[in-house]
Amino acid sequence: MDRRIFLVLLLAGCSSPSSPNLAQATPAPAPTTPPAGPAAPPSSGDAGFDEWRGQFRTRAMGAGLSAGLIDRELTGVTPNPRVISLDSAQPEFSKPVGDYIKGTVSDERIARGQRYRSELPFWPGIEQQYGVPRDILIAVWAMESAFGAVQGDFDVIRCMASLAYHGRRRNFAEGELIAALRIIDSGEASRAQLKGSWAGAMGQTQFLPSNYLATAVDGDRDGKRDIWGSSNDALASAANLLAKGGWVRGQSWAREVTLPADFDYSLTEGPRETPDWWAQIGVRPADGRPWSAADLLAKAQLAAPAGASGPVFLLLPNHFAIRTYNNSTAYALGVGLLADRFAGGAPLVTAWPYETPLAIGDRISAQTALLRLGFNPGEPDGVVGVNTRTALRNWQKARGLTADGYLSMEMVRRLNVEAGALPAA
Ligand code: CA
């Protein structure tokens, strides 16, 4: 039996009147007999879900949706246990950024992207209107849906209802569910078309329903914003999202740079200054070519995403515009580096270093050690964010180490030794 169907049946079985409802701490009330007629949908077979649905119905009507629409679209919907388990999962190992980029910027993708940049007829119109170069849009398209091929076939209404019922991100999921219902109500897409990833990202450029309502555009001017079937619509919509996210026409997104010996790496993730400011302390383009006039006006931030032994970048404002799509440095680097290759740019001057993936236990132990040593990284949660990197930089600087804020296995070991959690080697 398909595992998904099996789990659905299992969950439905758990909430039958004769067995305990595992989803609820308190005993579930017996399902009430649904009155006939469209206004009150029949029980989903899960009393907790029915209760959430009733409360959501009131809130959605308060947001202006009709009872008929809500009941029609939520009738027969049950929580999807696969969505809930994917939402709760935290990967055991974090992929080193270099491995991620090497997987992202593949020869096969570069070749396809280079074809699309000349083959598709709609680029001049999109570039003229939004100022976002085709190479960036093709890279987003590659990353989000393998150029439109992998859009996800989850029912977005059921995904959002499942996430809202589960409760970890209830406000977010209810907002997206209301947005998805509005899309159906508008007639721009049918329920059957409203397919996406388990997290509700839809179409060739993986827009959430709220993104769709606020930002999708009708690139091919046929009267519908079809981000599933029309590449023109999807890519014009992505350009509109990046433009709204602050894309600066005519500027690049980043430059790989070299640093002088004994450089103070605590300047990474720090000030945003012009290329001339950075040049005064020895930060120069790695390829030796001059900055463009437009880029000389940009305020750029230094980043060493794989630490001092990997490539170093000055990130221009357009890097941060890409992050409106997905707020991850690695993701935005992947998009930008792919785009540079589509445009005929050379590979990076400095190779990504080989790194051992860190297990969640390694990351938590390093955070716990930093906390114990008086360098507060925030609550140890295994997520290496800006607070952890800042704490690590401060500890590295205080110990006379290269303060690149990069948590390598060697740093994990040293921290645990100093904090007394590991014997000295
Ligand atoms: Ca269209």
Side-chain angles (χ1 to χ4, degrees):
M1 186 187 291
D2 175 78
R3 183 174 153 76
R4 197 159 121 200
I5 296 169
F6 174 72
L7 286 170
V8 171
L9 293 176
L10 189 71
L11 200 75
C14 285
S15 59
S16 71
S18 58
S19 63
N21 183 345
L22 297 180
Q24 290 271 96
T26 50
T32 50
T33 311
S43 169
S44 66
D46 178 324
F49 184 77
D50 290 348
E51 188 185 346
W52 164 79
R53 189 178 63 186
Q55 292 161 355
F56 171 75
R57 188 176 189 266
T58 306
R59 288 192 281 271
M61 287 172 69
L65 298 185
S66 75
L69 170 74
I70 301 163
D71 294 342
R72 185 183 74 226
E73 298 305 332
L74 291 183
T75 292
V77 169
T78 54
N80 185 339
R82 188 152 166 247
V83 167
I84 291 165
S85 104
L86 284 165
D87 188 51
S88 316
Q90 190 175 15
E92 170 68 10
F93 287 97
S94 60
K95 197 172 211 176
V97 61
D99 290 359
Y100 172 82
I101 297 292
K102 280 182 262 181
T104 297
V105 187
S106 68
D107 290 344
E108 191 267 338
R109 267 194 180 152
I110 293 167
R112 283 188 72 181
Q114 286 177 338
R115 274 207 311 281
Y116 288 130
R117 79 192 302 273
S118 57
E119 276 175 11
L120 298 175
F122 45 70
W123 294 127
I126 293 177
E127 288 173 337
Q128 174 66 29
Q129 187 165 357
Y130 301 100
V132 182
R134 67 188 70 184
D135 298 306
I136 291 288
L137 299 170
I138 300 168
V140 167
W141 196 27
M143 304 273 280
E144 295 295 331
S145 68
F147 307 100
V150 183
Q151 300 184 24
D153 60 358
F154 284 87
D155 170 17
V156 170
I157 294 288
R158 187 179 180 210
C159 289
M160 288 311 178
S162 302
L163 293 174
Y165 165 51
H166 182 52
R168 189 174 75 81
R169 295 188 289 163
R170 174 160 293 168
N171 288 343
F172 159 81
E174 288 196 357
E176 294 300 335
L177 181 54
I178 287 170
L181 291 167
R182 280 196 214 285
I183 296 170
I184 295 171
D185 201 33
S186 75
E188 282 197 277
S190 67
R191 171 70 177 272
Q193 277 176 294
L194 229 56
K195 293 283 197 290
S197 73
W198 68 266
M202 312 183 302
Q204 299 192 26
T205 42
Q206 297 284 282
F207 272 28
L208 287 169
S210 61
N211 289 143
Y212 176 91
L213 286 176
T215 314
V217 294
D218 178 16
D220 60 16
R221 296 191 169 82
D222 70 347
K224 284 200 174 182
R225 301 179 292 174
D226 180 6
I227 60 171
W228 300 268
S230 164
S231 300
N232 189 341
D233 285 7
L235 293 159
S237 298
N240 190 33
L241 184 77
L242 292 172
K244 283 187 170 191
W247 187 271
V248 184
R249 193 182 281 257
Q251 278 182 3
S252 348
W253 67 277
R255 281 294 287 279
E256 187 189 0
V257 292
T258 54
L259 306 177
D262 300 324
F263 186 79
D264 178 7
Y265 277 85
S266 67
L267 285 168
T268 55
E269 280 193 293
R272 296 192 188 193
E273 297 289 350
T274 61
D276 284 338
W277 187 93
W278 288 107
Q280 284 170 25
I281 54 170
V283 179
R284 300 184 199 290
D287 61 10
R289 304 206 338 242
W291 290 90
S292 72
D295 288 355
L296 279 171
L297 302 173
K299 295 275 185 104
Q301 188 183 55
L302 194 68
S309 61
V312 181
F313 302 90
L314 276 178
L315 304 175
L316 276 64
N318 286 340
H319 166 88
F320 299 94
I322 297 169
R323 282 166 62 168
T324 56
Y325 230 106
N326 180 340
N327 192 16
S328 142
T329 306
Y331 174 85
L333 279 173
V335 168
L337 292 170
L338 256 182
D340 287 354
R341 298 300 301 280
F342 295 158
L348 293 173
V349 172
T350 302
W352 294 99
Y354 174 77
E355 286 288 346
T356 314
L358 300 182
I360 187 164
D362 298 324
R363 304 193 298 272
I364 290 176
S365 76
Q367 291 171 323
T368 307
L370 281 168
L371 198 57
R372 207 176 294 169
L373 295 170
F375 297 87
N376 187 1
E379 185 68 26
D381 58 1
V383 179
V384 179
V386 68
N387 292 336
T388 300
R389 290 193 296 272
T390 302
L392 179 59
R393 263 184 218 111
N394 292 338
W395 172 80
Q396 288 170 321
K397 203 165 185 173
R399 300 298 180 265
L401 301 168
T402 301
D404 62 4
Y406 185 67
L407 189 63
S408 63
M409 197 60 100
E410 173 61 12
M411 289 302 116
V412 173
R413 192 190 65 77
R414 283 189 188 223
L415 281 164
N416 277 300
V417 168
E418 188 181 326
L422 268 181

